[in-house]
Amino acid sequence: MAADIGSGDETSLSDDVSFLCVGLTVVDMITVVGKYPEEDSDQRGISFRKQRGGNASNASTVLTSLGNTCQYLGVLPSTSDPDYRWLKDDFNGHGIKTDLCVNSDRTCPMANVVVSRDTGSRTIIFCDNGQPELSLQQFMSNAGKSLHCFTWIHFELRPNVEDYLHMLETVEEYRTKTAQRTGKEPHTVTPYVSVEIEKPELSNPERAMMLADVIFISKDWARCKGWEDMTTAVSSASRWCRPHCTVICPWAEEGAAAWCNNEVVTSTASPPGEVIDTLGAGDTFVAGFLHTIARHKTVSESLNFACKLAAAKCTIDGFKGLQGLVKIEVR
């Protein structure tokens, strides 16, 4: 897959790339403070805002801001919940389609986020409010017959790993049948598939790696496996992956690494300038990489773009205006 997507051939995919992002949406309540508060203290905040969050939800926002067509698939609250209309309006305002989403009778997961203007750090307290995860049955009912509509499907691996494995298997079966019908190799058939493995507490997420073309592993997950640097992480994780895949690991200020075609590719981090807000920088990295690799840029070019885009995001509150901050000619 890496050789095919990252070949530099820009004729086999048009600039109009259609993504489906599957995963979580959260209501983020963000308080910006000058300095992170001490426990049991009073402090005045600089600003407060309500923002749509969640890894897959944020990736959708960045992908559309870069000019892609994008749909989000996840669980939204009941249509009678006040946050339902707010979330729908926010998705619509960013040009993200939510026709495939399902509704729950529970309120949306919430996160209280404290952003320190002094350091740019973000401290997150998350509460799922009992909202269920997207199930295999819901994925099949809502997206099972629409797989041909997408160039790329990105999965944020959630705690119900078994359901997500079956979702990945469903896409794999579709691609295999398409390959048999068209005489192509399965790894060259769309929709391409990426998986993000972030949380250390996920149960045996390695099983998902064999079912994806691009795998993103987080620094936290890599460290829980005993890997203390990004090059060790991607080379070690590659043993669970199929031959044509690419493994990506961003490592904050050290940049990012990828395993592709049996070798490690790295990119240095870009100096972000004044750090304002790091919330969502990782999701911006993921979306930036997908945006470029889906257009048949090389892995090296895509890593470079993703690092620069993530650094630019750290200089603004939220994502508004992100598309105008990075003008990179990928050579």
Side-chain angles (χ1 to χ4, degrees), residues 191-246:
Y192 300 124
V193 174
S194 54
V195 172
E196 179 185 13
I197 300 172
E198 181 190 29
K199 303 298 184 185
E201 60 266 26
L202 291 173
S203 175
N204 297 321
E206 299 88 350
R207 294 173 295 166
M209 293 183 177
M210 278 297 292
L211 297 168
D213 305 302
V214 174
I215 301 102
F216 297 94
I217 59 175
S218 71
K219 183 178 180 180
D220 286 344
W221 188 77
R223 282 182 163 170
C224 88
K225 304 299 288 186
W227 307 324
E228 290 301 323
D229 62 82
M230 61 188 182
T231 56
T232 300
V234 295
S235 59
S236 299
S238 68
R239 70 177 182 266
W240 288 302
C241 305
R242 53 191 176 187
H244 298 284
C245 82
T246 300

Side-chain angles (χ1 to χ4, degrees), residues 1-2 13 66 73 109 126 146-147 160 165 213 220 223 269 318:
M1 173 54 63
L13 272 181
L66 294 172
L73 172 54
F126 175 75
S146 304
L147 300 180
N160 55 329
L165 285 172
D213 305 302
D220 286 344
R223 282 182 163 170

Side-chain angles (χ1 to χ4, degrees), residues 18 147-148 150-153 171 174-175 189-193 213:
S18 179
L147 300 180
H148 64 283
F150 303 106
T151 312
W152 201 291
I153 302 179
V171 181
Y174 168 80
R175 291 174 65 183
V189 175
T190 59
Y192 300 124
V193 174
D213 305 302

Side-chain angles (χ1 to χ4, degrees), residues 1-312:
M1 173 54 63
D4 299 285
I5 293 180
S7 63
D9 174 14
E10 298 189 39
T11 61
S12 52
L13 272 181
S14 72
D15 284 340
D16 184 18
V17 179
S18 179
F19 286 90
L20 174 65
C21 293
V22 184
L24 184 67
T25 286
V26 179
V27 175
D28 287 338
M29 312 299 282
I30 303 168
T31 302
V32 180
V33 297
K35 184 178 181 180
Y36 189 80
E38 296 180 6
E39 185 177 355
D40 199 25
S41 66
D42 292 330
Q43 182 179 146
R44 289 187 178 273
I46 295 173
S47 64
F48 173 84
R49 71 181 186 272
K50 181 179 179 181
Q51 181 175 297
R52 175 173 49 82
N55 290 20
S57 178
N58 285 342
S60 301
T61 299
V62 178
L63 285 167
T64 55
S65 75
L66 294 172
N68 300 286
T69 300
C70 192
Q71 288 212 35
Y72 166 75
L73 172 54
V75 180
L76 297 180
S78 165
T79 56
S80 62
D81 190 302
D83 279 327
Y84 172 78
R85 178 43 54 194
W86 177 81
L87 287 167
K88 289 284 284 187
D89 288 345
D90 195 74
F91 275 117
N92 291 337
H94 285 89
I96 303 165
K97 299 177 182 178
T98 55
D99 302 346
L100 301 178
C101 285
V102 300
N103 295 98
S104 165
D105 59 357
R106 297 299 188 103
T107 59
C108 193
M110 307 283 290
N112 288 308
V113 185
V114 179
V115 176
S116 169
R117 190 54 54 86
D118 181 40
T119 63
S121 69
R122 84 290 182 277
T123 303
I124 303 171
I125 302 172
F126 175 75
C127 182
D128 65 15
N129 289 331
Q131 187 184 82
E133 299 286 350
L134 182 74
S135 69
L136 170 64
Q137 182 178 358
Q138 290 166 333
F139 176 84
M140 293 297 296
S141 298
N142 290 32
K145 295 181 179 179
S146 304
L147 300 180
H148 64 283
C149 298
F150 303 106
T151 312
W152 201 291
I153 302 179
H154 175 65
F155 292 91
E156 171 199 354
L157 199 61
R158 300 295 303 152
N160 55 329
V161 174
E162 292 297 333
D163 280 76
Y164 273 77
L165 285 172
H166 292 311
M167 295 178 204
L168 288 161
E169 288 169 352
T170 297
V171 181
E172 180 82 354
E173 290 171 5
Y174 168 80
R175 291 174 65 183
T176 299
K177 291 178 180 177
T178 301
Q180 292 171 347
R181 188 177 67 252
T182 60
K184 298 180 179 179
E185 291 294 325
H187 67 271
T188 68
V189 175
T190 59
Y192 300 124
V193 174
S194 54
V195 172
E196 179 185 13
I197 300 172
E198 181 190 29
K199 303 298 184 185
E201 60 266 26
L202 291 173
S203 175
N204 297 321
E206 299 88 350
R207 294 173 295 166
M209 293 183 177
M210 278 297 292
L211 297 168
D213 305 302
V214 174
I215 301 102
F216 297 94
I217 59 175
S218 71
K219 183 178 180 180
D220 286 344
W221 188 77
R223 282 182 163 170
C224 88
K225 304 299 288 186
W227 307 324
E228 290 301 323
D229 62 82
M230 61 188 182
T231 56
T232 300
V234 295
S235 59
S236 299
S238 68
R239 70 177 182 266
W240 288 302
C241 305
R242 53 191 176 187
H244 298 284
C245 82
T246 300
V247 185
I248 311 291
C249 185
W251 208 270
E253 65 278 357
E254 294 184 29
W259 175 267
C260 172
N261 293 330
N262 293 318
E263 65 178 8
V264 175
V265 178
T266 62
S267 176
T268 57
S270 297
E274 183 184 4
V275 176
I276 300 296
D277 174 18
T278 61
L279 182 65
D283 306 325
T284 301
F285 174 91
V286 168
F289 185 90
L290 294 178
H291 169 76
T292 44
I293 203 72
R295 287 169 172 77
H296 287 238
K297 303 302 181 183
T298 66
V299 169
S300 179
E301 290 168 332
S302 300
L303 273 184
N304 181 261
F305 179 84
C307 285
K308 289 184 177 180
L309 192 69

